[in-house]
Amino acid sequence: MKRRTAMGALASLVLGACGGGGGGSAFETAATAPAPQASAFAGSSNIAAWGDSHTTGLPGRADVPGYAALLRQIATGRQVFVGGSAGLTSTQIANLQAADNAHDNWVNVFWYGGNNQTQAATIKADLARSIASLAPGNDRYLVLGVTNQATPAERRGGRDYGDIVQLNADLAAQYGDRFFDVRTHLVGLFDPVNPLDVVDHGDDVVPASLRADGVHLNAAGYTAVARRVLEIIVAKGW
């Protein structure tokens, strides 16, 4: 278990009291919310990206690079640590992150739930545990939403569609401008002259032009994620 000193706890409380809450919609994301003042936490500007194959890529699948490798290419002057592995649930990723002491003072990005997307309570608890394990006062983190797969169960009207949309709404309400609704962002990048993309847009899933298969993005999709994540981090002065 990571140790917290009394002074660290006091610093965390003081910094937490300084944060302001927005009055926007629960669906307002970091992509649209006004950028807050830069964090007063004096930590590293390097980035630790935690997640499953959406973050790390799929071994042996060059068409599924994950966004972190692409983020590393564009995050000039920053190191990008890739934590997690393909196929892991949010709990397994959180366990790895909680055991890691080397990146607690970095900017942390959490993209959890790709392999247990219907377990909302578990995903929420795992995210909260990871955020609590950061260095005292480190409020420089970004939570990415869960993307629904291009399957009958997760397309609009499918059995699990509503639960995933509600989970993202709950995360937006909980984390405010530290939440990035990556699902909505990607859905909005559909090509209106691509018939497959138009169908996918109607079904409210990531468009075919940005997917390698029904679950994973392709290089273009992960590049779009990497660019937006870096834009948000830079805009916040982290």
Side-chain angles (χ1 to χ4, degrees), residues 86-168:
L88 297 188
T89 66
S90 61
T91 300
Q92 291 171 317
I93 303 164
N95 288 343
L96 291 175
Q97 188 274 337
D100 176 90
N101 293 298
H103 307 95
D104 286 354
N105 68 337
W106 288 26
V107 177
N108 277 253
V109 183
F110 306 111
W111 196 355
Y112 289 8
N115 292 300
N116 59 318
Q117 63 270 33
T118 61
Q119 298 174 0
T122 299
I123 293 169
K124 293 175 186 178
D126 291 332
L127 285 166
R129 180 159 59 99
S130 288
I131 291 167
S133 75
L134 297 177
N138 187 6
D139 57 358
R140 302 169 312 137
Y141 62 85
L142 192 63
V143 172
L144 274 60
V146 175
T147 55
N148 51 322
Q149 300 174 3
T151 62
E154 297 187 16
R155 289 179 180 272
R156 190 194 303 274
R159 181 192 64 225
D160 299 325
Y161 170 81
D163 291 339
I164 294 172
V165 171
Q166 185 60 54
L167 169 59
N168 285 322

Side-chain angles (χ1 to χ4, degrees), residues 63-97:
D63 60 329
V64 184
Y67 88 93
L70 301 170
L71 179 63
R72 183 179 285 151
Q73 295 175 14
I74 62 176
T76 306
R78 301 176 190 252
Q79 296 179 46
V80 176
F81 169 78
V82 183
S85 181
L88 297 188
T89 66
S90 61
T91 300
Q92 291 171 317
I93 303 164
N95 288 343
L96 291 175
Q97 188 274 337

Side-chain angles (χ1 to χ4, degrees), residues 3-21:
R3 300 176 60 188
R4 296 289 186 269
T5 65
M7 287 300 293
L10 179 59
S12 178
L13 289 171
V14 171
L15 285 169
C18 294

Side-chain angles (χ1 to χ4, degrees), residues 35-41 43-45 78 107 140 230-238:
Q37 294 292 323
S39 171
F41 180 77
S44 170
S45 64
R78 301 176 190 252
V107 177
R140 302 169 312 137
L230 185 59
E231 286 172 358
I232 294 169
I233 289 172
V234 171
K236 288 181 175 297
W238 292 347

